[in-house]
Each structure stands twice: as C-alpha cells, then as structure tokens.
Amino acid sequence: MPNTTPLPPEITQYLPRLTPLQLAWLSGYAWSQAQRGEEGGQDLPPISTALSAVPTAEPLTVTVLSASQTGNAKGVADKLAEKLNAAGVSVKRSVLKDYKSKNIADEKLLLLVTSTQGEGEPPEEAVVLYKLLNGKKAPKLDGLYFAVLGLGDSSYPNFCQAGKDFDNRFAELGATRLTARVDADLDFASTADKWVNNVVAIVKEKAVQQATPSATTQPSNAPMPAKENQYNKEKPYAATLLTNQKITGRQSDKDVRHIELDLSGSGLHYQVGDALGVWFNNDPALVKEILQLTQIEENNSVTLNEKTLPISTALLSHLELTQNTPNFVKAYAELTKNKTLDKWVTDSTKLQEYVQTTPIVDVLHDFPTKLTAQQLADLLRPLTPRLYSISSSPAEVGEEVHLTVGIVRFEHDGRVRAGAASSYLADRVEENGQVRVFVEHNDNFRLPTDSSKPIIMVGSGTGVAPFRAFVQQRAADEAEGKNWLIFGNQHFATDFLYQTEWQQFAKDGFLHKYDFAWSRDQEKKIYVQDKIREEASAIWQWLQEGAYFYVCGDAAKMAKDVETALLEVIAQEGKLSADDAEDYLNELRENQRYQRDVY
C-alpha cells in the first residue's frame, strides 16, 4: 500500500513502535520545531535524532489506594484508576485491605481516597497503614508524591479527619503534595469528580514531562469489578415491607424492630456482612413544623439541581432535616443576625456542642426568623440514605432481607424527636407498603472462606444483627468451624434480641459457646469487654486455632473498649509487650482475621 501520509517512510516506520506518551512527546517536539522554522529557526533534525531524545527512564507507576467503609471511597478510586488508564498512565489499583503497608516506602506516586468513621478514625481496612505511618517504624517518604481526597459527613465534629491525618502524615514523613487535599461531604459526587479530573490532568502532565511509558507496558492489577445489581443507590428497588415486629420487651428503654423486606424478582443479591441502604421520606409533621417556624407557604417553589418543585416536596423527600451541621448553624446565623447565635458560631467548642445536642428544627425554635423558601432549601443538605447491617442470610431466607433497627426517639426541650429513617420504618411504612432499598457490599466484613475456621462474634445492642446472618450462613453450610457469640445489652428480660433463635442454634450445634453481658441487671455494670477479659484464656486458645474475631457496634465507645480488652488478652496470654500485642493484632487485621463493622 502506498504511503498516503505527508511524512516520509523513514519517519512513519517508527510510529507503530511508540507508546501514547512517547507520541505525545514527539508531537510537542515537532510542533516546537515547526514554530521555530516559521520564525527562521533551524530545520527539523533527523527523526532518529529526535527519537533518541525521548527519555527511556523506568516506568513511573501511579498507585491508587482506597480506604472505604461503605464503598463510596472505593467507587471514586475505581473511577480515578479508569481515567488514568484511559490517559495512558500505568496504574496499580488496590483497596487497603489487600495492600501490604510496608510497600508504602517504595511508592513514587500515590493517590489516596479515604472515608472517615467513628470519631474521626480511618476505615477498618486503613488501620494498619495508619498505625504504621504514626508509629515508631514509620518510613521516610522523601521520594513520594501524593494526593488525598477525604470523604466524610459534616454533621460529625471530626469531618474528614482520616483524610486530614493521612495528608498531614505523608507530608511530615517527607512526601510532596501533587495538589492540596480536598474534603467532600455526603453529597460528594461533584466534589470528587472535580478532584479526579484535576489529579488526572496533573499526573498526565507529570508523566509526559518524564516520558513515562503507558499502561500498555505494565497492565493494571485492579481487581475485576463485582457483578453489578440492576438496582443501586441512584436507582433503588421498591421492596415490599413484610414484617415490622418489635423485639424488645414492653418495659425496655429501647425500641428495636425486626424488619423483613421482600426482594422477589429484583435480582438484588447480597452476602452476609453486607449492608442495606434505605431511602426514606421525612416526617410530614416535621416538615409542617419547619414551614410554620420559617413562615413559608408549603406551595412556594424552590430550585434543586436545576429542577423546580414545591418546598414541601423538597423538605419531605429531597433535603436532610434531622442531622444538624456546623455549616447549617453558621449559614442560619448570617440570616438571623442574632447576637447570641453570632457569638456561638465564632466559638468552635460551643458551636460543636450546640450542633451535637440540637436538632435542626430546634435551632429554628431557639432563634426564629422568617425565611424565603429558597433560603431554607439552600441551608439544607441533600437527603442521603441510611445503611443498616443485614441480619439475614439468603441461604436461610431466600429472596428476603432482614434488618434489626433501633428506633431513635428522644426529647429536646420537651418536644419529642425521632430518627428520620428509623421512625420511617417503624411508624410511617405500613405492612405491604414499599421501601426503596439497595445493597451496599462490605468486603471488609466477611466470614472465613475456610468454613472449618472458628469465629468469635462480639456485638452490643443492634450490633448483633450481622452475627444472626453469620450463624444462619454457617448452619446452612453445615460449617465445621466453632461459633462463639459475646452479646451485650441492658436487660436479660427485655433486651435479649433473638433469644429463641440463639437457643435453637445452640441446640442444633451451631452456637458452640456464648457469653452475655447485661449491663443493668446488677449494681455493677457488665459489658462485652468485661466478658472478653473473663474469657482471656479461651479467646487466646481460639486465636491460636486460627479463629476470626469480629466486632459490630458503636465505634466511639464500645468498639474501642473491646479492642483495648483484646489487646490486654493478647499481651497477657501471649506473654507479649504492649507493642508486640499491637503488632499481633495488626497481623490479624492484615490477614482479615480481625474485622469490625462499626458506626
């Protein structure tokens, strides 16, 4: 075939051998020479001379890490890796649970997307790396370039703290920022997309400057994505509510519901350890109260995401009404011009205290003012779904999914308040009504692949939910491994969640050991961590037999106390120093033998 390009054969013969980034370099080189030629510069040198100028340095691989609790950070990191690959950049993609932390010292270019859990702590899968970076054996990172995106929830005091901590620590250890850290709130999509695009542009420029070979010479080792469900967070499935049963006693201080939903025909699949996302509508009575306090007519129109709708509809199903944030109080203070509130927002301690103890509607009660419908809508965050640990195994319940939901109810200044999603499920959805749901996979909380391994499950309150699913699955699999439940709640008589089921599991030989901590049944309170200390010898023996240790419950208090007790057991029974006990627990984490589902 004749040569139809304006280039001579001695040039075109080289082109198929070049990588995309080498072609980009050559293009820029040729253009600069052409410009110089127009200005009377020298002629373009021979192609062999030009190509010899292309650097041949070792490939620069970009490592993209994610630390995710519910999957959001993983999704952003996957998108980042895809865009980098499409741009011809060599990418090594890994979730932190599969990443060997000691390899951090060898990285040259690292991009981290991390969420935050509990009181500003890193997600479970990031704990080992976090401890390494902040420990005595932290490596020097002088040769590392990095960028961090933090995902969080501004209704919590330590917003995006994990991202801030990683970003600061990388810099303290000598690494260089490619770009400033970005923090994203619950409605993170737009912020995350901007960060991804910015980082991709920076990395591309850096790669071209160094003439880094493209990903065609070093394939990405990103894991194959899991099979996608037809329904997801953006497109939830309308599941039928089959059962809404209170499972705490009449005299209990707690209202816990066993919820059963029908997934028949949806194609939704879940594994034990996963969570169910629940979309909900706010309480119409709360919507009415807010409109009255702000003196807004319910039919007044507002614009949300370029769509016009009545303010009452926006408040009912599009905007967050129960989770207060510092940003809401600060923005509301600017509108009210109230001297007391103005003073509070300048005091970070007072502001956080007020936010944590005062629902949004009670801020309006405390400092009433007339607003326009659009002003009110602009003050509020988009509504986000709530996630609940699934308390059933498909092997036991088929095309159903079960939840164990603690209903949030309290009083503030004599006014009764309730959790948005929990009260929706308990009070506002009738049986055979529909609930919009989706499955949130949690690969950080899974049963051992080897069903002969023992498991120890520690949960308090509704934290027992995933363990009901675990034991259902182990029974269905006729697993040989021993199962041990350590469960805590307030009272034996009124708060023993799923009592008859645990008794049946024990009778059938699928609950081999159990300990219960009833904190209010005696003068001295007893908690699950006390049971761990009491059973120190047995716990150590089970760990020596290869047991997996699981924790589900409150991150701020319970999970920390359990970890402290577990470290004491490891040090005592293993005759280890405190540092060596930490190393032992970190090794369990890295081997997925210490897993936590905390909130």
Side-chain angles (χ1 to χ4, degrees), residues 55-62 90 108 210-215 217-218:
T56 58
E58 286 297 311
L60 175 63
T61 299
V62 180
S90 176
K108 300 301 180 186
Q210 298 186 21
T212 308
S214 77
T217 63
Q218 188 172 356

Side-chain angles (χ1 to χ4, degrees), residues 235-500:
K235 184 184 176 184
Y237 175 69
T240 299
L241 177 65
L242 300 174
T243 301
N244 171 8
Q245 178 186 0
K246 186 177 180 182
I247 55 174
T248 42
R250 185 175 300 175
Q251 303 303 318
S252 176
D253 293 334
K254 299 181 178 183
D255 180 357
V256 177
R257 304 297 177 96
H258 173 74
I259 303 291
E260 297 182 2
L261 298 163
D262 185 6
L263 301 180
S264 297
S266 67
L268 280 174
H269 302 288
Y270 66 90
Q271 301 178 54
V272 297
D274 285 341
L276 192 74
V278 175
W279 285 100
F280 59 94
N281 287 334
N282 287 307
D283 187 348
L286 179 60
V287 170
K288 184 177 180 180
E289 184 178 359
I290 289 174
L291 290 174
Q292 289 175 342
L293 287 167
T294 52
Q295 302 175 51
I296 298 171
E297 295 294 329
E298 65 178 20
N299 291 325
N300 286 3
S301 294
V302 295
T303 301
L304 294 179
N305 297 322
E306 301 180 353
K307 293 182 180 179
T308 301
L309 65 165
I311 183 62
S312 57
T313 302
L315 295 178
L316 187 68
S317 55
H318 295 275
L319 297 171
E320 177 62 62
L321 302 186
T322 59
Q323 293 184 340
N324 199 357
T325 68
N327 288 341
F328 171 82
V329 176
K330 288 178 181 178
Y332 187 65
E334 292 182 8
L335 295 174
T336 63
K337 306 299 182 184
N338 183 282
K339 292 181 179 179
T340 300
L341 193 55
D342 285 341
K343 183 178 180 181
W344 287 1
V345 298
T346 60
D347 181 336
S348 59
T349 302
K350 177 64 180 177
L351 176 60
Q352 281 297 345
E353 179 186 347
Y354 186 62
V355 166
Q356 294 300 310
T357 58
T358 312
I360 286 174
V361 64
D362 290 301
V363 176
L364 306 181
H365 274 286
D366 291 345
F367 303 99
T369 194
K370 179 177 173 59
L371 300 176
T372 67
Q374 193 63 53
Q375 282 176 327
L376 175 60
D378 292 343
L379 286 171
L380 301 169
R381 297 187 300 171
L383 193 70
T384 54
R386 304 298 194 256
L387 298 178
Y388 294 99
S389 299
I390 292 174
S391 56
S392 59
S393 163
E396 172 67 23
V397 304
E399 290 189 289
E400 293 181 8
V401 62
H402 297 179
L403 306 177
T404 308
V405 180
I407 313 306
V408 178
R409 302 190 199 279
F410 61 98
E411 282 193 9
H412 184 88
D413 289 344
R415 293 181 286 267
V416 177
R417 302 298 180 207
S422 64
S423 65
Y424 171 77
L425 290 171
D427 305 331
R428 299 195 296 281
V429 182
E430 297 180 354
E431 288 197 6
N432 297 317
Q434 292 186 323
V435 180
R436 294 167 295 149
V437 302
F438 59 94
V439 172
E440 191 73 61
H441 296 294
N442 184 4
D443 291 333
N444 300 317
F445 204 70
R446 293 283 189 240
L447 282 169
T449 54
D450 181 352
S451 63
S452 70
K453 296 295 185 183
I455 63 172
I456 303 171
M457 303 165 284
V458 183
S460 62
T462 57
V464 79
F467 302 137
R468 177 179 184 259
F470 275 21
V471 180
Q472 283 183 355
Q473 186 67 48
R474 298 272 275 194
D477 294 340
E478 298 184 352
E480 298 175 9
K482 296 181 295 183
N483 306 317
W484 181 357
L485 175 68
I486 304 175
F487 171 61
N489 219 336
Q490 290 188 352
H491 300 284
F492 166 78
T494 59
D495 303 310
F496 196 166
L497 306 183
Y498 302 113
Q499 177 183 359
T500 58

Side-chain angles (χ1 to χ4, degrees), residues 86-107:
V89 177
S90 176
V91 179
K92 182 169 64 177
R93 170 77 180 97
S94 181
V95 294
L96 266 173
K97 75 180 180 67
D98 298 327
Y99 182 76
K100 293 298 182 185
S101 298
K102 63 182 180 181
N103 292 344
I104 194 73
D106 301 321
E107 302 290 358

